[in-house]
């Protein structure tokens, strides 16, 4: 016989974990932020497709003199709400004449009796000018649904793979 004894004993332990609620809240917050950021990147990617198509439409529709300023004023911005549950993209056209070019309309003088501009070295005066509708922004959306959705899907997939 050996000199070794086998001892049996029961170990009772009580483990108390504290901070579980705080941990759950932090994990939930991280999940919302990642989800919100992924959504922001997706809508931003779609917005960039619209921005690019609008700029292309401007170059096709307007003269070179008008093109650079209007096209250069288009920018895409995106954000999520504070809860991280909604993402929005805004494609802003930041020239005051952008709307009337898109939808057409009549321009009348506000602070003078006549409108005045110079064209090809000639001074032109008018009581009003009616511009035709020359859409560049709406077709950027209407004609590019598939590209917009594809860009959003790719951005979302990439964000989720990295997340």
């Amino acid at each position: 016989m050996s000199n070794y004894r086998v001892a049996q004993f029961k170990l009772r332990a009580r483990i108390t974990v504290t901070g579980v609620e705080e941990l759950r809240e932090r994990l939930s917050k991280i999940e919302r932020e990642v989800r919100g950021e992924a959504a922001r990147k997706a809508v931003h990617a779609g917005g960039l497709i619209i921005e690019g198509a609008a700029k292309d439409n401007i170059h096709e529709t307007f003269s070179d003199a008008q093109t650079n300023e209007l096209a250069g004023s288009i920018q895409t911005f995106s954000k999520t709400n504070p809860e991280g549950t909604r993402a929005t993209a805004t494609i802003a056209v930041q020239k005051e004449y952008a709307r009337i070019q898109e939808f057409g309309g009549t321009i009348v003088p506000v602070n003078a009796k006549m409108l005045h501009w110079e064209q090809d070295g000639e001074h032109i005066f008018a009581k009003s000018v009616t511009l035709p509708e020359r859409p560049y922004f709406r077709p950027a959306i209407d004609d590019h649904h598939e590209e917009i959705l594809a860009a959003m899907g790719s951005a979302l997939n990439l964000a989720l793979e990295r997340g």
Side-chain angles (χ1 to χ4, degrees):
M1 298 245 163
S2 82
N3 292 335
Y4 297 105
R5 290 188 184 184
V6 176
Q8 283 189 325
F9 60 92
K10 290 183 179 180
L11 175 64
R12 289 187 179 200
R14 172 172 246 157
I15 299 172
T16 304
V17 178
T18 60
V20 173
E21 274 309 306
E22 292 86 1
L23 178 61
R24 282 187 186 146
E25 287 175 22
R26 286 183 183 172
L27 290 174
S28 179
K29 182 180 178 187
I30 290 168
E31 186 267 335
R32 283 191 311 271
E33 288 173 356
V34 168
R35 182 178 56 209
E37 183 61 13
R40 188 197 66 74
K41 287 179 179 180
V43 298
H44 192 82
L48 290 175
I49 296 297
I50 296 167
E51 177 183 329
K55 288 178 178 182
D56 289 345
N57 291 342
I58 288 168
H59 289 290
E60 292 171 7
T61 304
F62 300 96
S63 69
D64 289 338
Q66 298 168 315
T67 298
N68 291 332
E69 284 190 35
L70 186 57
S73 77
I74 301 175
Q75 287 186 293
T76 301
F77 305 95
S78 58
K79 65 180 180 177
T80 58
N81 65 346
E83 297 81 31
T85 57
R86 179 178 294 165
T88 57
T90 301
I91 303 95
V93 187
Q94 302 174 0
K95 287 293 180 186
E96 61 187 28
Y97 56 85
R99 182 176 173 82
I100 199 162
Q101 293 294 347
E102 177 79 17
F103 297 104
T106 301
I107 302 170
V108 295
V110 175
N111 297 321
K113 291 182 181 182
M114 303 280 282
L115 296 170
H116 169 253
W117 68 94
E118 190 176 331
Q119 184 174 339
D120 299 327
E122 184 181 338
H123 290 274
I124 300 173
F125 296 90
K127 290 189 178 203
S128 68
V129 174
T130 300
L131 296 178
E133 176 178 293
R134 294 190 280 185
Y136 58 91
F137 194 82
R138 290 173 289 164
I141 298 167
D142 295 341
D143 299 343
H144 298 277
H145 283 139
E146 290 181 22
E147 291 171 71
I148 295 164
L149 292 175
M152 291 174 71
S154 294
L156 190 56
N157 283 334
L158 185 61
L160 294 175
E161 286 173 5
R162 290 181 178 172

